[in-house]
Amino acid sequence: MSRFSPLWRWGGGALLLIWFVLPLLPIMLWSLADRWPTGDLLPTWGLVGWREAYGDHMVPALLRSTVLGLIVAAIAVPIGALAGRALGWQIGGRHPWSAALLLAPIALPPFALAMGLDVLLLRLHIPQPVAVVVLLTVFAVPYTTYIVRSAYAGLDSQIEDQARMLGASATQATRKVTLPAIAPALWAAAAMAFLVGWSDYVITLIIGGGRLVTAPILVAASASGTGNEPLTSALAVAVALPLVAALLIGRLVRR
Amino acid sequence: MMRVEGLRFTHPGAEKATLDDVSLAVPEGSMTAIVGASGSGKSTLLRVISGLNRPEAGHVYVDEGRVDDLPPERRGLTMMFQKPHLFDHLSVLDNVAFAGDVAGVNRSDARAEAQRCLEMVRLPDMGRRRPRQLSGGQEQRVALARALAAKPHVLLLDEPFSALDTELRHDMHALLGQVRAELKPTIVMVTHDMAEAGLADDVAVLHDSKIAQHAPLAALFAEPASVQVARVIGGFSEVVGTCTDAHHTSALGAWPIRCADDGNSASRQSVMLVRREQVQVSADTAQGPIAGQVRSLTWAGSRQIARVAVGDGLEVAGEVSLGNTVSVGQQVTASIVGQPWCVDV
Amino acid sequence: MGSLRLLAPAALLVGIVSAISIISIALTAFGLMPLVGQPRLSTDAFGALSSDLWLGLRESFVIATTSTILALILGVPAGLALVSVSRIRAALAALTSVILPVPHLIGAASIGLLLSGGGVLPRWLGVAPSDWPALVAGSFPTAIVIEFAWKESAFIALIIAAALSSRLTELSEAAAVLGAGPWQRLRRVTLPMAAPSALAGAIIIYLYTLGSYEVTWLLGRSYPEALPVLAYRLFTSIDLTARPQAAAAALLAILSAVAIAGVGIAALRRVGVLR
């Protein structure tokens, strides 16, 4: 097979690598820097950003984000898994309306729904954290539903009949055969739902009204504020690194 | 034993019932094959028997006990599907031990029983493998071992060997024969392959939502109950004519026949069903009483089958006589050997 | 019915929460749900804000359009490189999958530190802050577009690689046997195969960038503001009469998203991705 000329391949490849890696470098460098004197190619290394982040209540904020991500996953995965089963196996028909409805949040601007819900909170007497969780779950459900739906679509529904025919009750068939078969999709769905809760900014900002301080809230406050690059970068890395680590660990486990 | 009475089942949204007043009895330890055109409801019948689909009317009995109200898993029967449906997350041994596991048998007993079943299907060393590491034939053997480990009173087979190549299918047939000799389960098998149906003691032909005939295969070949049954079994030429005094008169001339109603001497419209083994086709144009032209040639095993056009749009299939060479378009003669079966229209 | 029991929790949650949020936004925008005072049907909020609304809408569409185009221009070649035999493939695969879970807010914070006057890039290029163009908060939303395009090009690359990985080699070899050169194969085989996924990805990106708040807010200028930024500023204003105006901006954002989604679905039907 003939190939493109080396100029295209090397030039283009190098540009793509630079394009993808360059935007991540500032927070990586600044998070390990105390200062960056003008004219220097690299900063003066140090951990002042992390010390300040710790003083800025980074740890409790990370914990709040973790809890938020876990709660969103704990709700969005089961209800998405149920819907994904109905859509993937087309139980009782193709359900075009449900399929469209469950995809709709992808199109809707989160800030607008957050404003709409926030206006109602006082009237409905719903606590703010509950409303944050509910709305984040709405935005996580499309992912969990469609990830599980694909897994069911790739699994012959006769496998449950087979389990029944070997003496399993309906519950046993689902628990001992179907769920293990779609387990990778359930984990992927949980990861997506966690990501929605962990990385949310605008819904927590609008509905939380500044009282629910999650890690992204700290990042945004620092990034838009005084120009403390080491602090902003340390907080940003603290939000991004666990996700990257989880992704890499997930890849290793799958091998 | 297994018995169904007056089963009726209609698929959701369908106008016509797939099964309508289906009754069938399979004696203890025997095997019945269900045959029928595709879409005739063979698999549906198994699903209704198993309880995976609920009938609108009728009853299912397993060992004289009515199981209509029991869920599928408590009917004392098991089913093998066309696909082996091994559970990928379990080892081969734990697949076979699945029935014991869900029945609450302790793990080591379930595994010991599973190992015995793997030995019966001649895969004693495969227990620790994963299903993905097996070949297609091995998968279906594991599926059989897994079904046997459930100790079913009735084994339902929904074309489980049809996806295998010829050699593996014959292996599975031999294995099934061995299992029958050792365990004597009652078996109902859906198939579209007459050679496979021949493994069974009886064959039930499903046509037009009903059991059209239920008899040993030899009886079906010799005396099909209707033209439709003959079509399902295959290998018959249909010759329309009139029947009088045990003779059938048509474009082929008058031939002695057998029919269900020998005592009736009145002349009536009837169809002579001629098996292709009963027709000898000869290249010698002076040989037989029926003259015609070869339309097409095929092989059935080592015998060549010629379809011969004999005028009036009538075609008859027959074996080319040994030692004869014929080609398409050639003028040939044919003769009928023995007495064909005749059914009223 | 079993299927309704399965679908109900998800459908009711998404349906009810979306519906009441949108309805309450609409009621607020039309003066029927004021924070104080009597409900009164009026379009005052739209009138008072009309020029800001249109500028905000235009800004949002400029950002969404340029971001989507740039994401495609960079993401499609990256996706092709991911399925080709190339030395950068492993590095590219690692980078794109690392970028995927990084939140946009983090990307925006980092890009701010890269492209602002005292940022990493001008330092490395030896350009004084005063001579550096206003990429952040400038008259064109450059930094915003770069952030969106950066993260979403990784997304495009991964979905294109997923769509192509199974059948590209054999089809490409078939085309080569038929005498097609590398550029012809790219244009006649590879790009048409990648097109449906790229289109679906582009629609998702467009909808996301149209309604995203944090990147536009962090890297954008103070006037004119993109629709989400305008809406949030008015929403948190101490002037309580600004509430209906905030709702008007939010409603406009919702309607724009619905319109774009409608166009997108029609386009996907045309190319046969959706039935």
Side-chain angles (χ1 to χ4, degrees):
Chain A
M1 230 173 108
S2 60
R3 305 252 180 80
F4 293 103
S5 66
L7 181 68
W8 278 105
R9 282 190 290 141
W10 286 106
L15 281 179
L16 280 176
L17 288 182
I18 292 172
W19 162 255
F20 282 123
V21 86
L22 201 56
L24 280 176
L25 289 182
I27 53 167
M28 288 162 72
L29 294 172
W30 270 114
S31 69
L32 296 171
D34 281 351
R35 290 171 296 114
W36 196 332
T38 315
D40 286 9
L41 209 57
L42 286 174
T44 312
W45 304 113
L47 293 174
V48 65
W50 292 99
R51 278 194 296 275
E52 286 187 27
Y54 186 78
D56 201 19
H57 307 292
M58 173 185 80
V59 175
L62 286 171
L63 282 177
R64 272 180 222 114
S65 289
T66 308
V67 170
L68 195 56
L70 290 177
I71 295 177
V72 170
I75 305 170
V77 171
I79 67 176
L82 293 177
R85 180 182 165 96
L87 294 179
W89 277 355
Q90 303 191 354
I91 298 169
R94 290 186 57 228
H95 305 294
W97 289 105
S98 295
L101 174 66
L102 292 175
L103 216 46
I106 300 244
L108 296 171
F111 83 90
L113 292 204
M115 285 181 189
L117 198 56
D118 187 56
V119 171
L120 289 171
L121 288 189
L122 279 175
R123 295 166 201 252
L124 297 178
H125 303 291
I126 299 171
Q128 285 167 342
V130 173
V132 170
V133 166
V134 166
L135 195 53
L136 285 175
T137 307
V138 165
F139 282 99
V141 160
Y143 298 110
T144 57
T145 300
Y146 276 81
I147 290 171
V148 175
R149 189 198 83 113
S150 311
Y152 268 103
L155 183 71
D156 191 335
S157 65
Q158 221 174 39
I159 197 120
E160 262 184 25
D161 294 338
Q162 178 68 78
R164 299 295 296 276
M165 284 291 94
L166 294 166
S169 66
T171 318
Q172 281 177 319
T174 305
R175 198 162 49 80
K176 286 177 175 275
V177 172
T178 312
L179 291 184
I182 63 160
L186 293 175
W187 284 112
M192 273 310 294
F194 179 84
L195 190 61
V196 168
W198 169 271
S199 60
D200 169 70
Y201 174 65
V202 74
I203 290 173
T204 315
L205 175 74
I206 291 174
I207 298 181
R211 260 166 291 176
L212 183 58
V213 180
T214 58
I217 298 276
L218 287 186
V219 175
S222 176
S224 65
T226 52
N228 185 339
E229 287 98 344
L231 172 64
T232 305
S233 301
L235 290 168
V237 167
V239 171
L241 204 58
L243 304 174
V244 174
L247 183 110
L248 295 179
I249 291 170
R251 284 192 147 198
L252 283 180
V253 168
R254 244 177 295 157
R255 272 179 216 165
Chain B
M1 79 110 223
M2 198 288 303
R3 187 158 56 93
V4 298
E5 265 174 19
L7 285 184
R8 190 172 70 235
F9 179 82
T10 313
H11 280 290
E15 280 179 19
K16 193 172 173 301
T18 305
L19 303 174
D20 192 3
D21 197 17
V22 168
S23 299
L24 180 70
V26 181
E28 181 68 33
S30 80
M31 171 164 164
T32 290
I34 314 246
V35 298
S38 33
S40 60
K42 306 184 292 275
S43 297
T44 306
L45 176 56
L46 287 199
R47 290 184 65 87
V48 172
I49 293 170
S50 70
L52 293 171
N53 286 121
R54 294 229 142 217
E56 291 142 53
H59 302 294
V60 180
Y61 300 85
V62 173
D63 289 349
E64 290 302 338
R66 224 175 85 181
V67 297
D68 302 1
D69 299 325
L70 295 179
E73 66 272 17
R74 289 177 51 206
R75 293 186 168 197
L77 38 76
T78 192
M79 171 139 59
M80 283 177 71
F81 297 89
Q82 187 170 356
K83 290 195 214 163
H85 290 311
L86 297 187
F87 307 140
D88 282 338
H89 63 287
L90 299 175
S91 69
V92 165
L93 187 67
D94 284 337
N95 261 278
V96 182
F98 183 85
D101 178 37
V102 292
V105 177
N106 80 54
R107 178 161 293 211
S108 60
D109 289 355
R111 285 186 168 165
E113 176 61 24
Q115 182 59 35
R116 275 195 292 280
C117 293
L118 278 178
E119 280 159 19
M120 187 176 291
V121 301
R122 301 196 301 275
L123 292 173
D125 305 323
M126 292 287 174
R128 301 176 72 158
R129 298 259 184 115
R130 310 300 295 188
R132 285 169 198 272
Q133 296 172 299
L134 302 179
S135 69
Q138 288 171 337
E139 280 184 310
Q140 207 48 286
R141 269 149 79 179
V142 171
L144 177 60
R146 184 175 62 175
L148 296 176
K151 299 198 178 68
H153 298 269
V154 177
L155 183 57
L156 306 174
L157 306 176
D158 190 357
E159 305 201 34
F161 315 130
S162 63
L164 302 175
D165 64 38
T166 315
E167 195 178 338
L168 288 173
R169 196 156 63 234
H170 289 159
D171 282 355
M172 289 304 295
H173 291 164
L175 192 56
L176 187 64
Q178 193 186 324
V179 165
R180 289 190 66 196
E182 279 180 46
L183 302 176
K184 301 185 174 55
T186 305
I187 299 178
V188 184
M189 172 173 70
V190 161
T191 182
H192 60 259
D193 173 8
M194 281 306 138
E196 193 165 88
L199 300 172
D201 303 298
D202 287 322
V203 178
V205 181
L206 201 55
H207 174 76
D208 197 22
S209 313
K210 292 183 169 53
I211 301 284
Q213 194 170 4
H214 183 196
L217 188 59
L220 288 186
F221 278 128
E223 301 180 353
S226 65
V227 172
Q228 285 78 19
V229 170
R231 283 180 190 160
V232 169
I233 302 166
F236 289 94
S237 299
E238 298 164 21
V239 181
V240 182
T242 42
C243 181
T244 322
D245 286 337
H247 276 73
H248 184 270
T249 312
S250 67
L252 299 184
W255 293 93
I257 46 117
R258 297 168 299 122
C259 62
D261 200 4
D262 274 333
N264 188 347
S265 59
S267 173
R268 60 200 188 276
Q269 276 274 314
S270 71
V271 178
M272 179 166 68
L273 296 167
V274 197
R275 284 213 58 77
R276 59 191 180 199
E277 308 88 80
Q278 290 180 307
V279 179
Q280 287 293 317
V281 176
S282 168
D284 181 354
T285 47
Q287 191 54 243
I290 306 167
Q293 189 182 25
V294 177
R295 274 286 153 81
S296 64
L297 288 164
T298 51
W299 289 89
S302 61
R303 295 305 298 268
Q304 196 170 25
I305 306 296
R307 290 196 68 83
V308 180
V310 294
D312 275 359
L314 186 60
E315 279 188 9
V316 179
E319 289 181 350
V320 176
S321 295
L322 288 174
N324 281 243
T325 313
V326 299
S327 54
V328 173
Q330 186 179 335
Q331 291 293 329
V332 292
T333 59
S335 61
I336 296 174
V337 182
Q339 290 177 311
W341 181 249
C342 204
V343 293
D344 289 358
V345 181
Chain C
M1 272 304 290
S3 59
L4 287 184
R5 237 179 30 232
L6 293 172
L7 286 165
L12 288 179
L13 177 79
V14 170
I16 290 175
V17 174
S18 308
I20 64 169
S21 302
I22 292 171
I23 290 169
S24 96
I25 276 291
L27 291 178
T28 308
F30 287 103
L32 293 172
M33 222 167 70
L35 218 51
V36 288
Q38 286 298 309
R40 188 175 61 85
L41 179 66
S42 86
T43 54
D44 291 354
F46 294 89
L49 205 61
S50 64
S51 72
D52 280 1
L53 274 184
W54 290 121
L55 282 173
L57 191 64
R58 197 183 68 183
E59 186 79 354
S60 286
F61 272 105
V62 165
I63 291 171
T65 310
T66 41
S67 303
T68 306
I69 291 171
L70 193 58
L72 285 175
I73 289 176
L74 289 150
V76 171
L80 299 184
L82 280 178
V83 291
S84 68
V85 189
S86 75
R87 294 199 185 179
I88 60 159
R89 187 169 124 171
L92 210 51
L95 268 176
T96 45
S97 44
V98 159
I99 290 167
L100 207 61
V102 172
H104 273 286
L105 175 65
I106 306 306
S110 200
I111 295 246
L113 297 179
L114 181 73
L115 298 180
S116 59
V120 173
L121 200 56
R123 278 168 196 269
W124 280 349
L125 297 175
V127 180
S130 52
D131 296 336
W132 186 251
L135 301 179
V136 176
S139 57
F140 186 83
T142 316
I144 300 170
V145 167
I146 287 180
E147 199 287 331
F148 281 139
W150 167 69
K151 202 169 127 62
E152 303 300 357
S153 59
F155 169 65
I156 289 280
L158 287 173
I159 61 171
I160 284 189
L164 290 182
S165 58
S166 53
R167 287 170 56 231
L168 181 62
T169 318
E170 52 184 281
L171 279 178
S172 195
E173 278 169 2
V177 169
L178 294 171
W183 285 107
Q184 275 180 312
R185 289 205 300 271
L186 180 68
R187 201 163 61 84
R188 297 281 180 82
V189 179
T190 313
L191 290 182
M193 270 180 78
S197 305
L199 177 63
I203 292 163
I204 292 171
I205 295 173
Y206 204 98
L207 289 166
Y208 182 83
T209 51
L210 201 61
S212 164
Y213 171 77
E214 52 261 45
V215 178
T216 351
W217 162 70
L218 203 55
L219 299 177
R221 55 187 159 164
S222 52
Y223 189 86
E225 302 153 300
L227 222 39
V229 183
L230 172 69
Y232 181 70
R233 184 174 56 75
L234 293 168
F235 192 73
T236 49
S237 161
I238 24 175
D239 177 7
L240 290 180
T241 56
R243 268 277 167 109
Q245 298 179 11
L251 189 61
L252 194 57
I254 292 172
L255 294 176
S256 314
V258 170
I260 293 294
V263 172
I265 288 168
L268 287 174
R269 284 224 169 111
R270 258 188 96 101
V271 301
V273 176
L274 288 179
R275 264 191 280 173

